[in-house]
Amino acid sequence: MTEPTVALLRDAGLLSGEPGALYREWIRWTLASGLTPEQVPGRARDEGVTAGTFEPLAARTVWRGPDGRPYVRVDDARRARELARLAELLNGGRPSLSDPRRDRNTWSYTGLFGLNAGDAGTAVRRGALVATPEGTMMAAAGRRALRAVPNPVDWFAARGGTTWGEIYLVNGSHDDPAEVLRTTVESGGRPPGSGAPSLARLLRHERIHSEQWARYGYVRFIWEYVIRHDPRKPCEHPLEREAGLADGGYRC
C-alpha cells in the first residue's frame, strides 16, 4: 500500500520528488497504526511531515526490534528531544499529541537525570541512550567509577528499572551499556532484571509512567509514588495499576 499512499501525498501537494527510504518507512508504520492510505495525507499535514523530515536520522545509528520497528540511538544530548520525537513519528505515532508531556517533563533533559553528551546526566554517566517507538528514551548506565561505590542509577532504579520523566533507566551498571540496549532492542526481550513479558509491553508501561510524571509534576509524583503509597507493594499501587501490572511484569 506504500506506492498508492505516495501518490495520494503527491496529489495533496505534500510531497514532491522521490521520497527517501525513511519517509517510505514512515508511511508503512503509519498504515500499520490503523490508518487507511486516504487518511495518511491528513496525518502528514497534522504532523508537518515533508520529504526532509527524517533527514536528521540519516546518519544516526538505528537498532531494530524483531518486528522491524526502529529505535534511534541518542549520542548527542542537544538533540535528544528531537530524536525522541522523530522516533515516535517514524513509528507511526503522533508526537504532536505527546509534546505537552515532553514540555512538562523538560527537566528530563537537564539536571541530575538530564542528558549529558548522550548519557542520562549524573545518574547514568558513561551510559548509553536510545529513543524508543513510544517517544520516550531508554538508558543503561556504564560501569561504576569505583568498585565499592554503587553507580548512582542503582540508588534510584528498582527491579528491572525505573522511569524518571522521559527516561526509562535500566537497573544496574554495565561494562558496555550500548550493547545492553542494542541486544535488548534487537531481541525484543525484557531488559536485564525486568520481569516484563516483552520490551514493547514494558515501554508501553513506562510511557504511562512518563505521562504520570507530566500530570503530577516532579515533587508530587515522588510524593504519590514513594510516600503516599508503598512502592514495595506494586500490585496495590495505583500508579502501577494505571500503567498496567502485566505489562510491567508484576505478577499479582
Side-chain angles (χ1 to χ4, degrees):
M1 299 296 289
T2 301
E3 291 309 316
T5 307
V6 167
L8 289 168
L9 287 159
R10 285 201 178 101
D11 291 344
L14 297 167
L15 177 65
S16 60
E18 189 64 21
L22 290 175
Y23 186 98
R24 290 178 179 275
E25 182 170 6
W26 166 72
I27 292 175
R28 293 196 299 273
W29 289 119
T30 301
L31 291 171
S33 73
L35 268 64
T36 65
E38 291 76 18
Q39 293 172 318
V40 173
R43 175 66 61 83
R45 190 176 292 109
D46 292 343
E47 298 295 335
V49 179
T50 69
T53 293
F54 300 104
E55 287 180 359
L57 301 182
R60 301 285 168 183
T61 298
V62 176
W63 296 320
R64 294 186 180 276
D67 57 359
R69 286 198 174 274
Y71 294 66
V72 180
R73 183 171 180 185
V74 179
D75 54 9
D76 184 347
R78 296 166 299 180
R79 306 191 72 175
R81 176 168 176 159
E82 174 193 10
L83 296 176
R85 194 178 191 281
L86 284 174
E88 182 179 12
L89 181 62
L90 182 59
N91 279 277
R94 301 194 64 184
S96 64
L97 299 183
S98 50
D99 278 340
R101 185 197 74 220
R102 280 182 278 267
D103 290 341
R104 293 291 303 275
N105 291 334
T106 189
W107 54 269
S108 303
Y109 306 101
T110 59
L112 177 64
F113 286 97
L115 305 183
N116 184 351
D119 298 344
T122 302
V124 194
R125 190 76 68 180
R126 298 174 303 279
L129 198 68
V130 66
T132 79
E134 297 288 348
T136 56
M137 294 174 289
M138 178 169 62
R143 69 181 66 181
R144 299 177 181 182
L146 299 172
R147 185 180 299 273
V149 179
N151 191 310
V153 73
D154 296 324
W155 301 338
F156 298 105
R159 288 171 53 88
T162 301
T163 286
W164 288 79
E166 294 294 299
I167 304 172
Y168 165 64
L169 300 172
V170 175
N171 204 8
S173 305
H174 308 279
D175 290 340
D176 191 343
E179 184 65 10
V180 169
L181 296 182
R182 184 189 68 79
T183 56
T184 299
V185 167
E186 293 182 351
S187 71
R190 57 199 181 199
S194 172
S198 69
L199 177 60
R201 290 181 63 179
L202 175 63
L203 291 176
R204 181 171 63 190
H205 174 95
E206 301 300 339
R207 187 254 303 157
I208 295 173
H209 282 321
S210 292
E211 294 171 355
Q212 293 166 347
W213 276 102
R215 182 169 76 235
Y216 289 115
Y218 191 95
V219 173
R220 187 180 169 194
F221 178 89
I222 294 174
W223 167 267
E224 293 285 340
Y225 196 92
V226 180
I227 300 174
R228 184 178 180 186
H229 304 284
D230 188 347
R232 296 169 299 179
K233 299 178 180 179
C235 295
E236 301 173 14
H237 202 295
L239 298 185
E240 289 296 349
R241 293 174 67 88
E242 179 188 1
L245 294 171
D247 284 350
Y250 299 109
R251 295 171 176 81
C252 301

